Amino acid sequence: MQFSSTKDYVAPPDLIVAVNAAVRLERPLLVKGEPGTGKTELARQVSAALGLPMLEWAVKSTTKAQQGLYEYDAVSRLRDSQLGDARVNEVRNYIRKGKLWQAFEAEAKVVLLIDEIDKADIEFPNDLLQELDRMEFHVYETGETIRAAHRPIVIITSNNEKELPDAFLRRCFFHYIRFPDAETLRAIVRVHFPGIKEALLAAALSRFYEIRETPGLKKKPSTSEVLDWLKLLLAEDLSPEDLKADPANLLPKLHGALLKNEQDVHLFERLAFMARRQGR
């Protein structure tokens, strides 16, 4: 069971090694990197490349670890008991299986994505330590223990919004997705826009990297944002000449796809103002 690049996903060699190492070690793969560098998409591509079903658990700030195991709906059971509903005699009727439970009881190996784990409370990763390590958990309401019939491939993503506990990190295989270099990004663009003209691609990527490397930029544009930008450039039928930086207006064409806050827009406006003053 080996992962590699697919026709829809360009994976750098170090990422391929990390995925296959985590699969071989049967450890969760913790993937960090800038937002928009393809961390979530990686799990989907691993699922497609290995021919395995995928379960996705999107973590929010209010998400609790218990929700990944199961939730017991005591309120509904109390209401049904007041109404004389016969369902109250079976506690299993009020237990909702979480994504880990679904992965553990799957008939075959699955890919389980725990997406953006750093959004949750700091105790969230600690509360999953034993379950991810032993691949089992206890259901107190029924007295049963749920064990993984087939150990799932667990991929966990983080945007580095907060530090994860050391005990959790020890149980993971870690990989940081670096922002792609020009050649890798060119290959990624070709996957999404196979018919793009070389001159336009070269001019767009040159301008894009200029923007990313601008000192003082609060949020650097990501891979997903350059793909959105290129889609707009193609839709507007812009030429390579249209993308050249103008000293009077340093904001790139259709800059809303690349610059996502007013501070960065004002930064380019100030740079253009300074350039005009120096040109007098």
Side-chain angles (χ1 to χ4, degrees), residues 136-176:
E136 66 177 41
F137 63 90
H138 188 70
V139 183
Y140 296 97
E141 289 77 8
T142 64
E144 61 185 321
T145 297
I146 306 300
R147 295 184 178 87
H150 305 277
R151 196 177 185 98
I153 296 173
V154 181
I155 297 178
I156 304 169
T157 72
S158 168
N159 287 327
N160 250 350
E161 291 184 8
K162 62 171 67 80
E163 289 296 321
L164 299 175
D166 288 345
F168 180 80
L169 295 175
R170 283 199 302 272
R171 288 164 168 82
C172 298
F173 190 94
F174 172 77
H175 183 76
Y176 184 87

Side-chain angles (χ1 to χ4, degrees), residues 30-64:
L30 174 61
V31 184
K32 291 187 178 183
E34 293 179 32
T37 49
K39 300 183 297 297
T40 301
E41 185 61 23
L42 170 65
R44 299 184 180 121
Q45 293 300 324
V46 169
S47 168
L50 302 183
L52 301 176
M54 178 176 154
L55 295 172
E56 184 171 348
W57 184 12
V59 177
K60 302 178 181 179
S61 60
T62 56
T63 303
K64 302 299 181 184

Side-chain angles (χ1 to χ4, degrees), residues 243-263:
L243 303 183
K244 291 180 180 178
D246 180 359
N249 182 12
L250 293 179
L251 281 170
K253 299 286 187 181
L254 303 166
H255 65 269
L258 298 175
L259 305 177
K260 297 304 177 76
N261 58 68
E262 62 275 16
Q263 294 97 319

Side-chain angles (χ1 to χ4, degrees), residues 1-252:
M1 188 174 288
Q2 289 285 319
F3 170 72
S4 62
S5 292
T6 69
K7 63 181 181 64
D8 299 318
Y9 189 85
V10 178
D14 58 341
L15 179 56
I16 293 173
V17 169
V19 171
N20 289 322
V23 171
R24 193 170 298 114
L25 292 172
E26 295 188 324
R27 294 275 189 181
L29 174 63
L30 174 61
V31 184
K32 291 187 178 183
E34 293 179 32
T37 49
K39 300 183 297 297
T40 301
E41 185 61 23
L42 170 65
R44 299 184 180 121
Q45 293 300 324
V46 169
S47 168
L50 302 183
L52 301 176
M54 178 176 154
L55 295 172
E56 184 171 348
W57 184 12
V59 177
K60 302 178 181 179
S61 60
T62 56
T63 303
K64 302 299 181 184
Q66 181 64 33
Q67 294 172 297
L69 307 178
Y70 69 93
E71 291 182 277
Y72 171 54
D73 191 353
V75 174
S76 292
R77 193 181 190 196
L78 175 61
R79 184 184 64 243
D80 288 349
S81 68
Q82 294 170 338
L83 296 174
D85 194 324
R87 296 175 71 248
V88 300
N89 297 319
E90 180 52 72
V91 68
R92 287 182 175 82
N93 291 329
Y94 302 92
I95 290 178
R96 291 195 292 267
K97 299 176 181 179
K99 296 298 183 181
L100 265 74
W101 189 331
Q102 296 173 36
F104 287 3
E105 72 173 5
E107 296 180 357
K109 185 183 285 291
V110 301
V111 174
L112 172 63
L113 169 64
I114 304 177
D115 202 21
E116 298 189 335
I117 194 172
D118 53 325
K119 279 187 175 180
D121 184 85
I122 189 62
E123 292 303 319
F124 181 93
N126 281 332
D127 292 342
L128 289 177
L129 286 179
Q130 298 302 321
E131 289 78 5
L132 290 176
D133 197 26
R134 299 178 181 177
M135 287 289 159
E136 66 177 41
F137 63 90
H138 188 70
V139 183
Y140 296 97
E141 289 77 8
T142 64
E144 61 185 321
T145 297
I146 306 300
R147 295 184 178 87
H150 305 277
R151 196 177 185 98
I153 296 173
V154 181
I155 297 178
I156 304 169
T157 72
S158 168
N159 287 327
N160 250 350
E161 291 184 8
K162 62 171 67 80
E163 289 296 321
L164 299 175
D166 288 345
F168 180 80
L169 295 175
R170 283 199 302 272
R171 288 164 168 82
C172 298
F173 190 94
F174 172 77
H175 183 76
Y176 184 87
I177 297 183
R178 297 180 180 85
F179 192 82
D181 58 27
E183 285 307 310
T184 303
L185 187 56
R186 184 183 297 270
I188 292 171
V189 171
R190 286 288 184 194
V191 166
H192 292 269
F193 307 107
I196 190 170
K197 295 179 179 178
E198 181 58 35
L200 178 62
L201 177 57
L205 292 188
S206 175
R207 188 80 178 96
F208 173 73
Y209 278 105
E210 286 176 6
I211 294 166
R212 265 189 65 88
E213 293 164 9
T214 300
L217 203 62
K218 183 177 180 181
K219 183 195 177 302
K220 295 182 177 182
S222 66
T223 308
S224 63
E225 286 157 347
V226 73
L227 293 176
D228 287 344
W229 187 51
L230 284 166
K231 186 175 182 179
L232 291 175
L233 296 182
L234 291 170
E236 294 292 327
D237 196 25
L238 297 181
S239 68
E241 290 71 27
D242 294 325
L243 303 183
K244 291 180 180 178
D246 180 359
N249 182 12
L250 293 179
L251 281 170

